[in-house]
């Protein structure tokens, strides 16, 4: 027979035995409102980053121990009903573990797997180069990519012949299109400014000709 128990009810831990009854899973996971989701990848321009971890675990008088540990470091004692802690994490891979126990020593744990990556690379702009020649009547497609923290599209600024054309370009999944209606015959300049999600900025200015 398999019996399921409430965490902290005093029965053996899952897998244990109680008078011939095998103890199954806890009836209700005691840890809830977990944030952020795991696994987690964080990017930083420095050598460390701060990240907040949070969860709750309804006590009902059953939780007698709660602690948060990073890797093999000494655990940090927590409140017996919920927690929200901001941790400084260095570059590399880390394991953040929330552990709660009842008075009998039964334990439930939640683990976050975290990777911290240094990102010093600015977004790449392709599709147009200095002194390029384009054909009148054809639009120009500009691509922007960033393989680490990703392009912050809200930061994009595009100036064409010293005029802001943000309302005129057509955004795509990978960049934007300058409509053919803007591309009259002659010499033109374009300035593109864009950053990634942690503030690495690319600013390029090109002169080109439409024939």
């Amino acid at each position: 027979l398999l019996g399921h128990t409430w965490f902290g009810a005093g029965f053996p831990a899952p897998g244990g035995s109680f008078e011939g009854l095998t103890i199954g899973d806890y009836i209700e996971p005691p840890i809830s409102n977990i944030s952020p989701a795991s696994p987690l990848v964080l990017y930083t321009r420095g050598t460390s980053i701060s990240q907040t971890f949070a969860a709750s675990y309804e006590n009902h008088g059953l939780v007698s121990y709660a602690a948060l540990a990073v890797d093999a470091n000494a655990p940090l004692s927590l409140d017996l009903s919920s927690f929200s802690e901001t941790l400084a994490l260095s570059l590399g891979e880390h394991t953040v573990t929330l552990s709660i126990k009842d008075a009998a020593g039964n334990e439930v744990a939640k683990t976050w797997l975290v990777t911290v990556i240094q990102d010093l690379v600015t977004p790449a702009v392709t599709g147009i180069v200095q002194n390029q020649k384009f054909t009148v009547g054809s639009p120009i497609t500009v691509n922007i990519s960033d393989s680490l923290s990703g392009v912050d599209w809200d930061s994009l600024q595009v100036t064409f012949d010293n005029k802001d054309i943000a309302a005129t370009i057509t955004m795509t999944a990978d960049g934007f299109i300058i409509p053919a209606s803007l591309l009259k015959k002659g010499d033109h300049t374009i300035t593109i400014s864009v950053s990634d999600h942690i503030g690495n900025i690319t600013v390029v200015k090109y002169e080109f000709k439409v024939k």
Side-chain angles (χ1 to χ4, degrees):
L1 295 178
L2 186 67
H4 302 281
T5 68
W6 173 262
F7 173 82
F11 289 92
S17 177
F18 179 75
E19 296 187 359
L21 181 71
T22 300
I23 302 300
D25 296 333
Y26 294 124
I27 292 175
E28 180 180 327
I31 302 176
S32 60
N33 301 320
I34 300 164
S35 67
S38 176
L40 180 65
V41 178
L42 304 173
Y43 295 95
T44 178
R45 296 170 66 185
T47 57
S48 67
I49 191 170
S50 294
Q51 173 64 43
T52 300
F53 298 88
S56 60
Y57 27 92
E58 291 189 23
N59 192 343
H60 300 299
L62 304 176
V63 177
S64 61
Y65 170 88
L68 190 69
V70 179
D71 302 326
N73 299 327
L76 171 69
S77 294
L78 303 173
D79 183 85
L80 296 183
S81 60
S82 64
F83 86 100
S84 177
E85 293 289 338
T86 300
L87 305 176
L89 301 172
S90 60
L91 301 178
E93 297 182 348
H94 302 278
T95 300
V96 178
T97 304
L98 164 67
S99 299
I100 64 173
K101 296 180 182 181
D102 64 10
N106 296 321
E107 181 176 2
V108 174
K110 164 63 184 177
T111 298
W112 290 268
L113 301 178
V114 186
T115 302
V116 182
I117 299 173
Q118 188 175 50
D119 180 3
L120 300 176
V121 180
T122 60
V125 178
T126 58
I128 186 171
V129 296
Q130 184 71 8
N131 298 321
Q132 191 168 355
K133 294 180 175 62
F134 296 95
T135 302
V136 68
S138 298
I140 297 174
T141 299
V142 178
N143 293 321
I144 303 173
S145 61
D146 188 281
S147 61
L148 294 177
S149 59
V151 178
D152 179 5
W153 294 108
D154 291 336
S155 72
L156 178 64
Q157 298 178 18
V158 183
T159 303
F160 181 82
D161 291 343
N162 298 317
K163 295 181 179 179
D164 182 357
I165 60 169
T168 307
I169 60 177
T170 300
M171 297 300 300
T172 67
D174 302 310
F176 62 91
I177 298 172
I178 305 171
S181 59
L182 285 181
L183 302 171
K184 309 301 182 182
K185 287 186 177 181
D187 296 327
H188 300 280
T189 62
I190 186 171
T191 301
I192 302 168
S193 174
V194 65
S195 70
D196 63 16
H197 284 289
I198 61 170
N200 294 308
I201 302 175
T202 293
V203 179
V204 292
K205 182 177 182 179
Y206 298 121
E207 296 178 354
F208 65 95
K209 183 182 291 291
V210 176
K211 300 177 64 178

